[in-house]
Amino acid sequence: MLLDPVSAAHLREIRDTRGAQIRITPDEINETILIDRRVAILAGDPRLGERSFSIVTQPEVVQGVTSLFDAAWRSATTVDAYDARIAELRDIAPQVLDLLGRGVKDEAAARTLGLGVRTYRRRVAELMEALGASSRFQAGVRARELGLV
């Protein structure tokens, strides 16, 4: 979301006006709502068809879900730190995605952007990480899913 300036601004607005605490992780985590550490609402996988939700009140299960959430929260990055890290990447992401989509070789793409080849490759790797992609092809698919291209 933070690669898209509009989405990034929306997250900051939610944080600033509603007091939300936001952290970023590259890990996929299903939607989970914890209420007073006594109730867990777990969202089903939306890819499986109609979305389902489970409401759990059994203390041992809620404690287990809470522990997983706490671990994910601690290992995640604050939105400000993440945003600062990818600010430059956000600015060049559309051009990099365009060049990747056209199959431009790294050397030519780096020249087009006025970057060294190593810097360009580092930006591509950072973009792939931000998109949660393990290949350039997957980065393109993820960028399309997110409406970045």
Side-chain angles (χ1 to χ4, degrees):
M1 284 186 74
L2 291 178
L3 285 175
D4 174 32
V6 174
S7 296
H10 179 67
L11 285 179
R12 282 191 297 277
E13 177 187 337
I14 290 171
R15 179 199 59 202
D16 296 343
T17 62
R18 298 184 186 157
Q21 295 179 27
I22 302 169
R23 291 195 173 220
I24 307 298
T25 180
D27 302 322
E28 262 190 58
I29 300 174
N30 279 1
E31 289 176 67
T32 302
I33 300 171
L34 296 169
I35 303 171
D36 294 334
R37 297 184 179 261
R38 293 182 305 144
V39 177
I41 302 173
L42 309 172
D45 189 339
R47 296 174 293 189
L48 299 177
E50 188 174 328
R51 194 84 188 261
S52 64
F53 296 88
S54 298
I55 299 173
V56 180
T57 57
Q58 185 174 359
E60 297 84 0
V61 176
V62 174
Q63 176 56 41
V65 171
T66 300
S67 294
L68 291 171
F69 173 83
D70 289 342
W73 183 263
R74 282 190 306 273
S75 67
T77 305
T78 66
V79 72
D80 288 335
Y82 188 85
D83 195 31
R85 198 173 86 217
I86 68 160
E88 183 180 343
L89 181 60
R90 185 185 305 118
D91 292 339
I92 67 165
Q95 296 95 337
V96 171
L97 289 168
D98 178 59
L99 293 165
L100 287 172
R102 290 190 286 137
V104 176
K105 297 206 180 293
D106 288 356
E107 293 77 11
R111 273 193 311 275
T112 300
L113 295 174
L115 302 172
V117 175
R118 288 178 53 189
T119 301
Y120 173 76
R121 287 182 178 151
R122 188 173 66 249
R123 294 292 183 248
V124 170
E126 291 168 348
L127 181 59
M128 288 172 51
E129 179 185 353
L131 291 169
S134 57
S135 70
R136 290 178 176 208
F137 177 79
Q138 188 180 24
V141 171
R142 289 284 300 139
R144 182 162 311 281
E145 288 174 351
L146 297 170
L148 298 173
V149 291

